[in-house]
Amino acid sequence: MTTTWHDVAAPEDVAEDMPITVKLGDRDVGLYRLNGEFYALEDVCPHAYALLSQGFIEGDEIECPLHGAKFHIPTGRCTKEPADRDLRRYDVKLESGRLFVGVA
Ligand code: FES
């Protein structure tokens, strides 16, 4: 399957503990910087409607601002209910001073 890379942000747009939302077509994607690494995750919580990038970072997890579900940022794995599935994870690359998110 071919990956399409989307230029989404400059690295300095994403601070540690301050994720941002970027739009890829009609999808919201949360862009995170954690210990100097960049990660991109589906941004709408699978439980109800909340943008996870507006939640709270605790260690390497993001906590949903609405009902407290938690997800592991590097993998998208759901670690706490009430959400009941993992988040889609996207590849991120840094190239020519820009961040690109890959959609397969
Ligand atoms: S909307 Fe995220 S836990 Fe309910």
Side-chain angles (χ1 to χ4, degrees):
M1 190 178 284
T2 309
T3 299
T4 305
W5 292 96
H6 300 265
D7 181 342
V8 292
E12 54 269 25
D13 294 336
V14 191
E16 295 275 346
D17 299 337
M18 290 279 288
I20 63 171
T21 304
V22 297
K23 281 271 187 197
L24 293 187
D26 58 357
R27 326 166 200 227
D28 293 300
V29 174
L31 204 52
Y32 298 81
R33 183 198 290 241
L34 197 63
N35 301 320
E37 297 289 325
F38 293 95
Y39 301 97
L41 297 173
E42 170 186 1
D43 203 29
V44 176
C45 183
H47 177 238
Y49 188 87
L51 291 179
L52 294 166
S53 59
Q54 295 176 0
F56 315 100
I57 290 182
E58 288 179 15
D60 59 2
E61 295 183 325
I62 182 76
E63 179 178 349
C64 179
L66 212 49
H67 309 110
K70 288 187 180 178
F71 303 89
H72 183 234
I73 294 168
T75 61
R77 187 168 44 87
C78 180
T79 59
K80 184 172 176 278
E81 294 180 341
D84 61 357
R85 71 164 175 84
D86 299 340
L87 300 175
R88 179 169 178 185
R89 187 188 157 281
Y90 299 90
D91 288 333
V92 182
K93 69 178 179 181
L94 178 59
E95 198 171 279
S96 304
R98 298 287 299 173
L99 291 170
F100 292 80
V101 171
V103 179

